[in-house]
Amino acid sequence: AQSVTQLGSHVSVSEGALVLLRCNYSSSVPPYLFWYVQYPNQGLQLLLKYTTGATLVKGINGFEAEFKKSDTSFHLTKPSAHMSDAAEYFCAVSDDYKLSFGAGTTVTVRA
Amino acid sequence: GAVVSQHPSWVICKSGTSVKIECRSLDFQATTMFWYRQFPKQSLMLMATSNEGSKATYEQGVEKDKFLINHASLTLSTLTVTSAHPEDSSFYICSAREAGQRTHGYTFGSGTRLTVV
């Protein structure tokens, strides 16, 4: 069985401030982990993914995430928020068959 | 990169009619396609998984006779909402996994907003 918990359903940051979105996973097998972004009335766009190898993963739009097996986390960060980062973010885990999504975190960016 | 085209983007239909949503992989072969439903301000709920040439596998609680899924080719899957009712109004999203890519290759369509009146 696999599952994802996203801590915080809503995060508000100032433009230029650090963005930190928290994700913890549970998986009975070595996990594949993903972060997706969704803009209103659109599908999901892949930000980054971890499969194997380097635990610090860099993605698009300046985002990165670190896989930490010790505390089963895969938190997403971006050093400096931009207004265009306002969106819904989903963490997901895969058991090599299907994706299981977290509940999502809404990010708002204050000017 | 891999692209999945989903049509229509939005559709309004009358209660009791059927609606078909198409999901196409444009530049790759998708052995597996997934259909999700998303309610406002909520996460994606997996409805069913379809493998090319075989019957779809539905998640618990999803009515297979209401949500008909066909995956007749490696580039096309369709979801038909039969005898639609207002409670079927939702955002539907498909995802395709590229053959041989295992978990590396999930690509999502842009979604379909269904409104049943």
Side-chain angles (χ1 to χ4, degrees):
Chain A
Q2 55 182 22
S3 65
V4 164
T5 301
Q6 289 184 241
L7 302 176
S9 60
H10 188 209
V11 169
S12 179
V13 298
S14 298
E15 192 173 19
L18 171 72
V19 179
L20 170 60
L21 305 182
R22 301 179 186 274
C23 172
N24 287 91
Y25 70 90
S26 172
S27 178
S28 57
V29 297
Y32 296 106
L33 296 159
F34 306 78
W35 274 101
Y36 289 90
V37 62
Q38 184 181 33
Y39 297 98
N41 292 310
Q42 294 188 26
L44 273 66
Q45 181 182 9
L46 179 66
L47 284 175
L48 49 80
K49 62 187 177 187
Y50 169 80
T51 53
T52 58
T55 57
L56 182 61
V57 181
K58 295 187 182 298
I60 62 172
N61 301 340
F63 285 94
E64 64 180 36
E66 185 173 11
F67 169 65
K68 289 187 176 180
K69 186 178 179 180
S70 59
D71 59 2
T72 61
S73 69
F74 190 57
H75 302 331
L76 180 72
T77 61
K78 181 174 180 177
S80 177
H82 190 272
M83 296 300 288
S84 61
D85 295 325
E88 189 77 16
Y89 292 79
F90 293 98
C91 182
V93 61
S94 175
D95 60 358
D96 199 27
Y97 178 65
K98 62 182 180 182
L99 285 173
S100 295
F101 287 92
T105 299
T106 303
V107 172
T108 57
V109 182
R110 306 185 302 272
Chain B
V3 177
V4 170
S5 175
Q6 185 174 343
H7 290 282
S9 299
W10 58 271
V11 58
I12 302 174
C13 71
K14 291 185 178 181
S15 187
T17 62
S18 296
V19 174
K20 179 182 286 187
I21 302 170
E22 290 190 350
C23 182
R24 293 182 183 272
S25 57
L26 297 187
D27 50 2
F28 66 97
Q29 293 185 326
T31 51
T32 306
M33 288 190 174
F34 306 86
W35 287 95
Y36 297 86
R37 183 173 181 176
Q38 186 179 31
F39 292 101
K41 304 296 183 182
Q42 294 189 25
S43 188
L44 281 72
M45 179 189 76
L46 180 64
M47 299 174 65
T49 302
S50 71
N51 291 295
E52 185 266 338
S54 61
K55 289 184 178 181
T57 301
Y58 290 82
E59 296 296 305
Q60 190 173 7
V62 177
E63 299 177 60
K64 62 180 181 180
D65 294 329
K66 180 167 191 61
F67 298 100
L68 300 179
I69 292 172
N70 182 279
H71 191 170
S73 78
L74 284 172
T75 59
L76 174 65
S77 177
T78 60
L79 167 66
T80 301
V81 183
T82 62
S83 186
H85 291 283
E87 57 265 30
D88 299 324
S89 298
S90 191
F91 194 59
Y92 295 87
I93 305 175
C94 71
S95 173
R97 187 166 71 186
E98 188 170 355
Q101 288 297 309
R102 299 177 64 201
T103 56
H104 300 197
Y106 293 98
T107 303
F108 286 81
S110 56
T112 298
R113 172 73 60 193
L114 170 63
T115 302
V116 184
V117 298

